[in-house]
């Protein structure tokens, strides 16, 4: 037993932080070179931030392609020209506020599903609560067989290969019984990043290999209803890990889009077989055995077919509804899916995110892992809008108390937060940019997204919700998806305001004294290592 332990220690010592630093610098150079060739394409939610250096490429705003041009919320609707835009009744959109609500909503809707259940997550846990979720799928599949000679219900699960394969008992073993019993109705796809290959794949051990890149989309779909969240399918996310969750009830076109998106990612992923082996679909390039560029090209083409087809279709639908005079009171809310998959050359989210914030508007931005990219940092510090940024205090960070190197991650986030706060102070922006920390005993914090308040408004008209954390990983390494919801529905605006206030109510504002406390002391080695590893978490 001594030999494997010695080898493993050697790998760990190589990987952290030396290998991490080398690969970070290489990937940074590659991404910067690629963006110079293609032109920097920052930013969608064009109504949020304004970068001053460098100036972002402006995107055109249509002046007559959407109705309600006189309203404040119509300021955002230029996005209909750049991403799929779905009009839905605001009364069909519900903000869930607790892990238990999220869990119970999924179980009830899985049991009631008639035609499809689509689940995309980083992983599926292995505890009792996760087993109950699997049991709900089994119940629904069994019912469909009992009531029909040709069962209509299909279940599709998309997970990350590395995270879903970790350990002897894992996400794969949880789903194998369903795959074995309902082979024709069940699909399990395991996305493998094309960046984990060759010698790197051989050397980097389990858990650490997830830092290279993962499938991070969190979409839970039941017939024509869908939950978009940042939460994974694991017991803590069902009990005491605070996240965000939005349920779109009976919104068929939105559900169809995300079902097609998950199917497209699944098509370029490894397929789990009943014997626990994996294989690629016929004609697909293997993510780590095949050519890197060919895999990305095939994957990009397959996924962008879904995005582009939906965008074109919805433009025609929206124009048709204008002429037919569909009541604004019926469909007073817009949903814009935003996708970021930089390893595959897809950056719809980055192109659509954050520019042009109006003076005296307010952005409430939250991330469980506060590690803004330099671009986002410049946007926050260079805009005229007011910012209230909420992040996890060290004790509610998901890595708090972890063993080994991972146990130092909360301290690294503290160091990053202090550097950001120092920049705010050096620029004299303390009155405009405020940093808050979430506190809650025996809980962890994983919420991400933002709420946007126009000047003079006491309720938000826009929110971002989904999987991204606004950090380097979200932009460059992982597969991410979120939605922008723009609404004039007062009840939905009230729900969003209550959600935002509920989260911030459990926070305290950061000041200079915060970082002087003994429990915020960051060891020298953590400060030295953080620049090398910050792009991996």
């Amino acid at each position: 037993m001594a030999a494997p332990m010695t080898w493993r220690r050697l790998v760990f010592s190589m990987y952290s932080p030396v290998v991490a630093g080398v690969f970070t610098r290489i990937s940074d150079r590659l991404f910067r070179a690629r963006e110079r060739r293609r032109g920097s394409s920052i930013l969608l939610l064009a109504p949020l931030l304004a970068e001053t250096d460098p100036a972002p490429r402006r995107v055109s705003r249509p002046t007559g392609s959407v109705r309600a041009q006189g309203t404040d919320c119509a300021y955002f609707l230029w996005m209909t020209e750049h991403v799929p835009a779905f009009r839905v009744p605001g009364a069909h959109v519900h903000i869930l506020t607790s892990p238990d609500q999220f869990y119970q909503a999924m179980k009830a809707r899985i049991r009631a599903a008639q035609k499809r259940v689509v689940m995309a997550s980083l992983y599926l846990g292995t505890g009792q609560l996760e087993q109950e979720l699997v049991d709900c799928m089994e119940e629904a599949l069994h019912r469909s067989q009992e009531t029909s000679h040709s069962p209509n219900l299909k279940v599709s699960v998309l997970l990350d290969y590395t995270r879903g394969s970790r350990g002897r008992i894992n996400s794969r073993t949880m789903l194998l019984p369903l795959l074995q019993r309902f082979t024709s109705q069940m699909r399990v796809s395991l996305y493998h990043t094309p960046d984990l290959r060759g010698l790197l794949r051989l050397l980097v051990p389990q858990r650490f290999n997830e830092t290279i890149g993962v499938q991070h989309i969190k979409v839970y779909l039941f017939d024509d209803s869908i939950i978009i969240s940042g939460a994974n399918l694991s017991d803590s996310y069902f009990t005491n890990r605070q996240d965000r969750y939005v349920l779109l009830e009976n919104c068929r076109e939105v559900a169809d889009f995300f079902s097609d998106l998950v199917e497209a990612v699944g098509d370029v992923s490894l397929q789990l077989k009943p014997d626990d082996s994996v294989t690629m679909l016929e004609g697909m390039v293997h993510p780590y055995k095949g050519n890197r560029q060919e895999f990305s090209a095939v994957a990009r083409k397959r996924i962008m077919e879904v995005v582009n087809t939906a965008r074109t279709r919805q433009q025609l639908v929206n124009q048709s509804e204008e002429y037919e005079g569909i009541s604004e009171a019926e469909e007073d809310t817009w949903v814009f899916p935003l996708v970021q998959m930089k390893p595959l050359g897809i950056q719809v989210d980055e192109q659509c995110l954050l520019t042009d914030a109006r003076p005296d508007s307010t952005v409430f931005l939250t991330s469980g892992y506060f590690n803004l990219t330099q671009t986002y940092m410049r946007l926050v510090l260079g805009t005229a809008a007011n910012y209230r940024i909420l992040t996890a205090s060290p004790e509610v960070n998901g890595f708090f108390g972890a063993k080994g190197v991972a146990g130092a991650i909360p301290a690294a986030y503290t160091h990053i937060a202090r550097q950001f706060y120092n920049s705010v102070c050096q620029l004299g922006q303390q009155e405009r940019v405020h940093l808050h920390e979430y506190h809650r005993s025996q809980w962890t914090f994983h919420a991400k997204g933002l709420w946007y308040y126009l000047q003079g408004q006491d309720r938000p008209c826009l929110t971002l919700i989904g999987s991204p954390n606004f950090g380097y990983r979200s932009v460059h390494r992982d597969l991410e998806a979120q939605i922008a919801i723009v609404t004039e529905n007062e009840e939905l605006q009230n729900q969003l305001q209550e959600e935002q206030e509920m989260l911030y109510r459990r926070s305290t504002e950061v000041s200079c004294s915060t970082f002087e406390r003994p429990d915020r002391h960051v060891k020298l080695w953590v400060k030295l290592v953080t620049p090398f590893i910050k792009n991996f978490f």
Side-chain angles (χ1 to χ4, degrees):
M1 295 300 291
M5 289 299 294
T6 302
W7 177 87
R8 185 170 294 275
R9 288 194 185 101
L10 175 62
V11 171
F12 276 111
S13 65
M14 289 173 59
Y15 183 72
S16 177
V18 177
V19 173
V22 170
F23 278 95
T24 297
R25 294 180 185 277
I26 293 174
S27 61
D28 283 346
R29 287 175 181 246
L30 289 174
F31 283 124
R32 284 198 295 268
R34 184 191 303 173
E35 290 181 356
R36 281 196 297 270
R37 292 193 301 269
R38 297 170 59 179
S40 181
S41 57
I42 297 177
L43 319 170
L44 197 163
L45 281 186
L48 298 193
L49 314 172
E51 184 178 17
T52 57
D53 181 26
R57 176 178 64 84
R58 295 289 178 174
V59 289
S60 59
R61 292 180 175 76
T63 58
S65 60
V66 294
R67 296 184 297 120
Q69 286 294 319
T71 65
D72 282 335
C73 287
Y75 180 66
F76 300 93
L77 299 186
W78 63 272
M79 289 189 289
T80 59
E81 296 296 314
H82 301 276
V83 297
F86 301 94
R87 289 179 57 200
V88 302
H92 289 195
V93 182
H94 310 286
I95 304 301
L96 310 181
T97 58
S98 72
D100 184 63
Q101 266 189 307
F102 167 58
Y103 182 57
Q104 298 302 334
M106 284 196 296
K107 290 205 300 182
R109 282 160 179 78
I110 290 172
R111 288 195 183 102
Q114 299 294 319
K115 59 179 181 179
R116 61 183 175 187
V117 172
V118 179
M119 311 286 276
S121 186
L122 174 63
Y123 69 104
L124 171 69
T126 59
Q128 180 58 39
L129 294 180
E130 296 92 323
Q131 184 59 56
E132 289 179 20
L133 207 61
V134 174
D135 292 343
C136 290
M137 297 182 203
E138 181 180 19
E139 179 183 329
L141 288 164
H142 177 71
R143 186 193 64 245
S144 73
Q145 288 190 340
E146 290 283 302
T147 57
S148 174
H149 294 295
S150 178
N152 293 323
L153 181 64
K154 304 293 183 183
V155 175
S156 177
V157 180
L158 170 66
L159 304 172
D160 182 70
Y161 177 89
T162 55
R163 183 64 182 87
S165 304
R166 186 204 293 180
R168 185 175 60 85
I169 301 175
N170 52 43
S171 304
R172 293 163 62 164
T173 60
M174 291 288 288
L175 293 169
L176 278 176
L178 292 185
L179 200 58
Q180 293 161 353
R181 181 178 175 186
F182 305 99
T183 305
S184 64
Q185 294 174 261
M186 186 82 185
R187 180 188 190 188
V188 180
S189 304
L190 302 168
Y191 172 82
H192 191 295
T193 177
D195 294 324
L196 183 64
R197 56 176 48 237
L199 187 60
L200 184 66
R201 190 174 190 273
L202 292 174
L203 288 178
V204 181
Q206 283 192 6
R207 190 176 188 185
F208 283 88
N209 58 11
E210 298 159 30
T211 64
I212 305 302
V214 295
Q215 191 302 113
H216 202 241
I217 298 169
K218 286 55 176 297
V219 168
Y220 310 111
L221 192 153
F222 327 94
D223 290 340
D224 293 337
S225 299
I226 181 172
I227 295 175
I228 303 292
S229 180
N232 291 304
L233 297 175
S234 181
D235 57 358
S236 63
Y237 293 91
F238 305 152
T239 54
N240 64 345
R241 188 157 172 76
Q242 184 64 57
D243 216 301
R244 298 183 66 210
Y245 337 82
V246 60
L247 168 64
L248 288 82
E249 197 89 67
N250 298 320
C251 295
R252 181 179 57 81
E253 291 173 335
V254 180
D256 285 348
F257 170 81
F258 277 101
S259 178
D260 291 345
L261 179 68
V262 172
E263 181 180 5
V265 177
D267 285 349
V268 300
S269 300
L270 294 158
Q271 307 300 304
L272 184 64
K273 297 299 181 182
D275 62 357
D276 199 26
S277 64
V278 293
T279 184
M280 293 297 292
L281 293 179
E282 186 177 353
M284 291 296 176
V285 180
H286 199 283
Y288 63 87
K289 294 180 181 179
N291 180 272
R292 169 70 171 82
Q293 285 70 33
E294 288 182 11
F295 172 81
S296 293
V298 170
R300 179 168 60 252
K301 180 181 178 182
R302 176 70 182 90
I303 294 166
M304 287 308 297
E305 283 176 355
V306 173
V307 176
N308 292 332
T309 299
R311 185 181 70 242
T312 301
R313 182 179 63 245
Q314 289 309 119
Q315 287 174 346
L316 296 173
V317 168
N318 295 331
Q319 290 170 4
S320 173
E321 290 179 350
E322 287 184 51
Y323 292 121
E324 294 174 4
I326 301 292
S327 171
E328 288 182 27
E330 294 176 5
E331 296 183 337
D332 50 12
T333 299
W334 292 80
V335 176
F336 302 93
L338 311 177
V339 179
Q340 182 79 7
M341 302 178 179
K342 203 68 168 284
L344 309 180
I346 298 172
Q347 48 197 55
V348 177
D349 190 357
E350 183 180 350
Q351 292 172 352
C352 291
L353 198 55
L354 311 180
T355 137
D356 276 2
R358 291 180 174 182
D360 296 324
S361 60
T362 302
V363 178
F364 287 84
L365 184 150
T366 181
S367 176
Y369 303 117
F370 183 67
N371 184 18
L372 296 181
T373 65
Q374 287 300 313
T375 297
Y376 289 154
M377 194 92 71
R378 289 194 297 268
L379 289 169
V380 171
L381 297 177
T383 184
N386 299 300
Y387 272 84
R388 303 290 185 273
I389 300 173
L390 177 62
T391 187
S393 60
E395 65 272 13
V396 300
N397 185 291
F399 293 95
F400 186 75
K403 296 180 180 179
V405 176
I409 291 179
Y413 280 116
T414 295
H415 181 56
I416 293 169
R418 183 169 192 167
Q419 289 179 318
F420 174 78
Y421 184 78
N422 288 343
S423 297
V424 171
C425 294
Q426 289 167 7
L427 294 171
Q429 300 289 326
Q430 301 96 312
E431 295 300 314
R432 189 182 60 79
V433 181
H434 299 259
L435 188 60
H436 300 255
E437 289 184 339
Y438 185 88
H439 304 271
R440 193 171 185 180
S441 178
Q442 304 302 311
W443 281 60
T444 55
F445 185 71
H446 198 249
K448 70 268 296 186
L450 62 80
W451 304 258
Y452 184 66
Y453 291 73
L454 288 166
Q455 180 181 3
Q457 301 296 315
D458 58 3
R459 294 186 300 248
C461 64
L462 178 148
T463 191
L464 279 183
I465 183 169
S467 62
N469 279 298
F470 305 108
Y472 185 95
R473 286 202 60 150
S474 294
V475 174
H476 293 289
R477 297 193 181 282
D478 300 337
L479 304 194
E480 305 279 13
Q482 62 183 331
I483 57 175
I485 300 175
V486 178
T487 185
E488 293 179 342
N489 183 285
E490 291 187 0
E491 175 55 33
L492 179 53
Q493 289 181 350
N494 285 335
Q495 289 186 59
L496 291 171
Q497 179 189 14
E498 290 169 3
E499 178 198 31
Q500 176 261 304
E501 290 180 347
M502 176 197 73
L503 294 175
Y504 279 72
R505 197 176 297 125
R506 293 184 177 275
S507 73
T508 58
E509 186 169 350
V510 168
S511 66
C512 291
S513 61
T514 302
F515 300 106
E516 301 302 326
R517 288 162 35 186
D519 62 335
R520 298 306 173 89
H521 173 71
V522 179
K523 296 179 179 179
L524 178 61
W525 75 267
V526 176
K527 294 180 181 179
L528 295 175
V529 167
T530 296
F532 294 97
I533 66 172
K534 64 183 293 186
N535 293 344
F536 289 88
F537 60 81

